Amino acid sequence: MDNRVSADMTSPSGSTVEEAKAFLDAHPEIEAFDIVLTDPNGVGRGKIIRRHELMGLYEGGRHLPISILGLDITGEDVHETGLIWDSGDGDLRAWPIPGTLVPLYGTSPARGQVLMSMFHLDGTPMTSDPRLALVRQVEALAAKGLHPAGAFELEFFLLANERDGEGRVQPANAVLDGRRSGKTEVYSVDHLHGMEPLFSDIYAAAKAQGIPAETVISEYAPGQYELTLHYRKDVLRAADDLVMLKRLVRAQARRHGVTACFMAKPIEKYAGSGMHLHVSLQDDAGRNVFTEDTEGQWSPTLLHALGGLADTMAESMLVFAPHANSWRRFVSQSYAPVAPTWGVNNRSVALRVPAGDKKARRIEHRPSGVDANPYLVAATVLAGIAKGLDEKLDPGPETTGNGYESGADSRGKMPSDWRSAIEAAKGSAFLKQALGEDLHRTFTAIKESEYFRVARTVSELDYHLYLHEV
């Protein structure tokens, strides 16, 4: 490909200088901007630019090194991705994502933020960019006359900045009055009041960014909460919502003296945090194709979509549970699915069809932890749905009752640990198609590198178990 850039190139992301100019006119107080590119781990990387640089960003993009998409969770280069010295670690060009130029609430001096996507210098997509993998799956469905809609749910912990006497993380005290609670106050409204100043700022920040944050609940562990997002007709925007919401929750928590934690399983004895994706498909006329014609008789389209998701789940688990800590979440009866099961109004299954108005019929995809990259999750889910529709796959019988007792079905055993998930992902033709060959290589190389880092680490638990015993 041609890595020369034209001075009058039109933004390949669809961004326009008019958007930037209108924003600057509307926000004379903003002095600087975070420009954020989401890497394969879901980590936001980029720069802070000054106000006068924003128009240049929209006119010609911004050079960023190709290696930014080949980093592990610590920010170290992973040479096996082929994105470091194999390419000379040259610059590519990042362009703004339309609709993500927003003010950052509560910053002083005032700052803004814009999400970015990576392209080659000639404007062709950089195929290890996670968001562009989702773009490709959305476009593939659009070619079939189908348009995915959806929304993510965000579960997270609010933790104290200080560890307890044994060095373990602990739930944060109420920011309102410092009250401590070590109880599982699931769905307690009074408990939420203790965090009211923080959640008020989260809602204000979300409003400023156009993020449709809705219900907040106290979840199934001390210090655990969930924020829901309003359903989007555009699943790309739904994924952008989640990326932006995580960033603002973390920032607002920090301003209130606590830590927002997006680890899948931060506290050993309590449930972990998920990132459920609700998804449906609309046809060109805007009709939900998952809706059944007759009450009680499921749409074949819905069943085939479930079949594709069930059929591809085992080989896709590295996307849904990408880190060592992710696998500590999959414990029986902890509200994390352990088999590729489906059911109606049942939270013990991996693929839940929520009860309610049939016009809003959708699939709730439940395996992902909150530590997963929402762009990769959505891309993989859409590819699984497409496979189910193309091949008219049968999801098998509906699971009723306790889905934790169902076990794996004929589609194959789910990976039991991180290493098994890495091997399954590396060998998966489906995942290579879902992510694209380049991103598949990048992502699995990063995960394997991180696995070896963890595997060779001698932990305190090793000393506790073995130092004086063997």
Side-chain angles (χ1 to χ4, degrees):
M1 65 190 57
D2 186 356
N3 276 332
R4 296 168 297 179
V5 63
S6 169
D8 58 353
M9 177 183 290
T10 300
S11 168
S13 70
S15 60
T16 65
V17 294
E18 288 77 17
E19 179 183 4
K21 185 178 186 307
F23 186 89
L24 291 173
D25 289 345
H27 295 279
E29 77 284 2
I30 290 182
E31 298 183 11
F33 295 87
D34 297 358
I35 63 172
V36 183
L37 177 76
T38 301
D39 77 4
N41 268 318
V43 176
R45 303 190 186 275
K47 303 179 179 184
I48 298 177
I49 64 173
R50 304 301 295 169
R51 178 184 179 90
H52 69 268
E53 298 178 89
L54 186 70
M55 288 302 295
L57 178 73
Y58 275 77
E59 290 165 351
R62 185 80 177 211
H63 282 128
L64 289 175
I66 189 173
S67 58
I68 203 170
L69 294 173
L71 304 176
D72 69 11
I73 194 69
T74 70
E76 296 285 343
D77 291 337
V78 178
H79 296 280
E80 293 80 3
T81 62
L83 301 180
I84 316 300
W85 299 124
D86 290 12
S87 60
D89 194 17
D91 280 344
L92 299 185
R93 194 165 291 250
W95 291 85
I97 295 170
T100 65
L101 178 59
V102 294
L104 291 176
Y105 177 83
T107 51
S108 180
R111 294 203 324 277
Q113 171 186 280
V114 62
L115 302 186
M116 310 287 286
S117 273
M118 189 79 93
F119 295 82
H120 291 282
L121 298 184
D122 64 359
T124 56
M126 199 292 165
T127 46
S128 285
D129 183 313
R131 190 179 189 275
L132 294 179
L134 177 54
V135 169
R136 190 169 57 254
Q137 292 299 332
V138 169
E139 290 175 346
L141 283 169
K144 301 175 182 180
L146 297 171
H147 310 280
F152 287 92
E153 296 174 358
L154 181 68
E155 295 179 0
F156 59 97
F157 279 81
L158 293 175
L159 302 177
N161 292 339
E162 306 78 25
R163 303 289 181 93
D164 68 14
E166 298 182 14
R168 297 173 301 195
V169 299
Q170 57 184 334
N173 295 340
V175 299
L176 181 65
D177 56 9
R179 184 180 302 177
R180 179 185 298 275
S181 173
K183 298 180 290 184
T184 299
E185 303 199 56
V186 63
Y187 281 89
S188 168
V189 177
D190 288 345
H191 178 66
L192 291 176
H193 291 169
M195 292 294 179
E196 188 274 335
L198 169 54
F199 282 111
S200 290
D201 281 347
I202 288 172
Y203 280 125
K207 182 179 180 180
Q209 295 187 17
I211 299 172
E214 295 191 330
T215 305
V216 60
I217 65 170
S218 179
E219 260 290 357
Y220 200 66
Q224 188 184 39
Y225 303 87
E226 178 186 271
L227 270 170
T228 62
L229 288 159
H230 189 70
Y231 214 67
R232 292 279 198 181
K233 290 183 178 180
D234 177 4
V235 78
L236 267 168
R237 182 63 204 193
D240 292 337
D241 285 342
L242 199 285
V243 168
M244 295 166 71
L245 184 62
K246 284 180 72 172
R247 287 184 59 78
L248 75 83
V249 167
R250 182 180 281 117
Q252 295 305 321
R254 190 175 184 182
R255 294 180 192 285
H256 283 269
V258 299
T259 296
C261 176
F262 301 109
M263 290 173 62
K265 182 81 167 178
I267 301 177
E268 178 181 335
K269 61 183 178 179
Y270 296 118
S273 295
M275 187 181 69
H276 304 160
L277 170 59
H278 293 251
V279 63
S280 61
L281 294 178
Q282 321 297 316
D283 62 18
D284 287 335
R287 188 183 72 89
N288 184 352
V289 299
F290 286 169
T291 299
E292 60 270 22
D293 293 328
T294 305
E295 198 77 39
Q297 296 182 14
W298 300 117
S299 158
T301 305
L302 174 68
L303 293 175
H304 294 326
L306 289 166
L309 292 172
D311 191 69
T312 58
M313 189 174 296
E315 60 197 300
S316 303
M317 281 304 298
L318 185 63
V319 169
F320 309 143
H323 306 293
N325 178 261
S326 307
W327 291 85
R328 297 189 173 97
R329 175 172 162 258
F330 294 98
V331 179
S332 181
Q333 298 185 27
S334 64
Y335 291 96
V338 294
T341 51
W342 75 278
V344 180
N345 197 23
N346 186 335
R347 286 183 170 84
S348 67
V349 297
L351 304 167
R352 174 176 174 251
V353 179
D357 187 346
K358 68 178 185 178
K359 293 180 182 178
R361 192 66 67 218
R362 64 192 186 277
I363 297 169
E364 180 186 3
H365 185 272
R366 297 174 57 81
S368 298
V370 74
D371 56 343
N373 184 327
Y375 296 127
L376 299 188
V377 169
T380 304
V381 166
L382 295 187
I385 289 173
K387 178 180 172 68
L389 299 183
D390 290 344
E391 301 179 16
K392 300 189 184 309
L393 296 178
D394 183 349
E398 176 189 344
T399 295
T400 58
N402 189 349
Y404 297 117
E405 296 177 352
S406 298
D409 65 8
S410 60
R411 290 174 178 82
K413 186 174 177 62
M414 296 276 280
S416 59
D417 54 38
W418 193 27
R419 181 67 200 178
S420 300
I422 292 171
E423 290 303 315
K426 285 172 61 179
S428 171
F430 163 76
L431 201 59
K432 187 176 291 187
Q433 180 276 324
L435 303 183
E437 187 170 346
D438 290 339
L439 181 53
H440 177 267
R441 180 191 65 249
T442 299
F443 182 64
T444 56
I446 289 170
K447 293 296 106 182
E448 191 160 48
S449 174
E450 291 174 353
Y451 170 81
F452 287 128
R453 176 190 286 260
V454 172
R456 66 175 175 259
T457 299
V458 181
S459 69
E460 283 299 319
L461 181 60
D462 288 302
Y463 295 124
H464 175 72
L465 292 176
Y466 309 121
L467 179 61
H468 300 294
E469 308 301 332
V470 297

